[in-house]
Amino acid sequence: MTILEAQHLTRVVDDERIVDDVSVTISESDVLVVVGPSGAGKSSLLRLLNRLDEPTEGTVLFEGTDYRSIPPRTLRQRIGLVPQDPALVPGTVAENVARGAILRDESVDDAAVERLLERLGLADYTDRDVEDLSGGEKQRVAIARTLYNEPDVLLLDEPTSHLDPDSEERVEALLSELIRDLDLTVVLVTHDEDQARRFGERVLALRDGVVDRVGPVEEVLA
Ligand SMILES: Nc1ncnc2c1ncn2[C@@H]1O[C@H](COP(=O)(O)OP(=O)(O)OP(=O)(O)O)[C@@H](O)[C@H]1O
């Protein structure tokens, strides 16, 4: 079943078409990897997919509904983004993971927080101050924070780009496990074609905001 359908998505900033007429369909359990050189518009495309930025032209259908008719907060809960920079708030690991619930004034599901931390290899980290975490640990907290909302689609922006090789391997392995075990639908941005090969089923290659190629990983990254 199709979950997301980008239709002619375009964003113009200062007369520059940073995302230009991108149409792509994402089905349930798809892992679509977006690749392209620096400045190709990969992060910009991701931010358009959950309307963190507003399209200048085109739109996205989420489960068949134009996403502009869905309240932004609901939309961003359903289509969750893990940003390139984890941007944690001062406080404990648990407070960051449950950030969505706290912002929505909902009670926190402590058991769900614990389950996620365990899945992300952070079992005893609940009360740790996020200031004291390594880059890889912060990134894993950011992933848990987005997954806490149980999104239908997970958007990952360069999830390992700031990490040292050991942390990169760890985060990549954890993400692969999560994708498989939770049967996640994912759009993952990376500049690293090897990483795209490791994750990808389908690859979308962007160049100057335009879709250069889209298709199975072995064809696009041959
Ligand atoms: N808010 C903005 N205002 C002006 N220009 C922007 C804005 N956001 C992005 N751009 C420009 O849009 C283009 C695409 O940027 P984007 O960050 O999406 O590329 P990217 O492929 O993710 O690059 P990288 O791999 O370096 O992160 C760049 O030329 C960038 O300078």
Side-chain angles (χ1 to χ4, degrees):
M1 196 188 81
T2 298
I3 291 199
L4 272 192
E5 185 177 348
Q7 298 182 326
H8 306 287
L9 262 189
T10 299
R11 181 162 165 84
V12 180
V13 178
D14 297 335
D15 289 336
E16 196 192 338
R17 301 177 75 83
I18 60 177
V19 174
D20 191 357
D21 198 22
V22 172
S23 295
V24 66
T25 297
I26 295 145
S27 300
E28 222 170 318
S29 308
D30 267 1
V31 178
L32 177 72
V33 182
V34 179
V35 298
S38 183
K42 305 183 295 297
S43 299
S44 302
L45 172 60
L46 218 54
R47 292 174 60 81
L48 286 174
L49 287 179
N50 74 348
R51 213 176 158 212
L52 273 174
D53 288 334
E54 195 64 21
T56 317
E57 295 158 39
T59 192
V60 174
L61 303 187
F62 174 58
E63 294 179 333
T65 301
D66 189 323
Y67 76 168
R68 292 172 297 187
S69 66
I70 300 171
R73 207 161 75 168
T74 307
L75 185 71
R76 283 170 210 140
Q77 219 177 316
R78 308 279 24 106
I79 308 173
L81 173 74
V82 181
Q84 200 165 352
D85 170 355
L88 303 179
V89 295
T92 66
V93 166
E95 283 161 0
N96 272 273
V97 173
R99 182 90 185 129
I102 293 166
L103 285 174
R104 292 190 296 273
D105 242 347
E106 292 169 7
S107 60
V108 171
D109 183 345
D110 293 322
V113 171
E114 292 297 336
R115 273 197 305 275
L116 276 168
L117 290 177
E118 204 164 307
R119 274 200 170 278
L120 284 149
L122 298 170
D124 295 318
Y125 283 59
T126 319
D127 297 320
R128 292 267 298 266
D129 190 321
V130 292
E131 284 290 302
D132 301 332
L133 304 183
S134 71
E137 290 164 344
K138 283 183 181 158
Q139 185 61 302
R140 286 186 268 152
V141 172
I143 293 166
R145 177 182 58 192
T146 301
L147 287 176
Y148 180 88
N149 288 331
E150 301 187 331
D152 297 301
V153 181
L154 181 66
L155 308 177
L156 294 163
D157 194 356
E158 300 269 13
T160 62
S161 66
H162 294 314
L163 307 181
D164 61 70
D166 283 349
S167 304
E168 172 172 13
E169 204 174 306
R170 182 87 203 273
V171 170
E172 223 186 83
L174 284 164
L175 276 175
S176 295
E177 255 176 60
L178 282 167
I179 291 169
R180 191 193 57 225
D181 293 352
L182 304 179
D183 196 23
L184 299 174
T185 306
V186 176
V187 182
L188 180 144
V189 161
T190 180
H191 64 277
D192 177 350
E193 293 197 352
D194 290 329
Q195 185 171 69
R197 284 189 188 88
R198 290 191 291 273
F199 273 107
E201 296 156 18
R202 276 167 80 219
V203 172
L204 185 155
L206 272 184
R207 185 169 297 275
D208 297 329
V210 177
V211 177
D212 189 25
R213 284 159 294 156
V214 61
V217 62
E218 59 278 7
E219 284 176 22
V220 175
L221 298 178

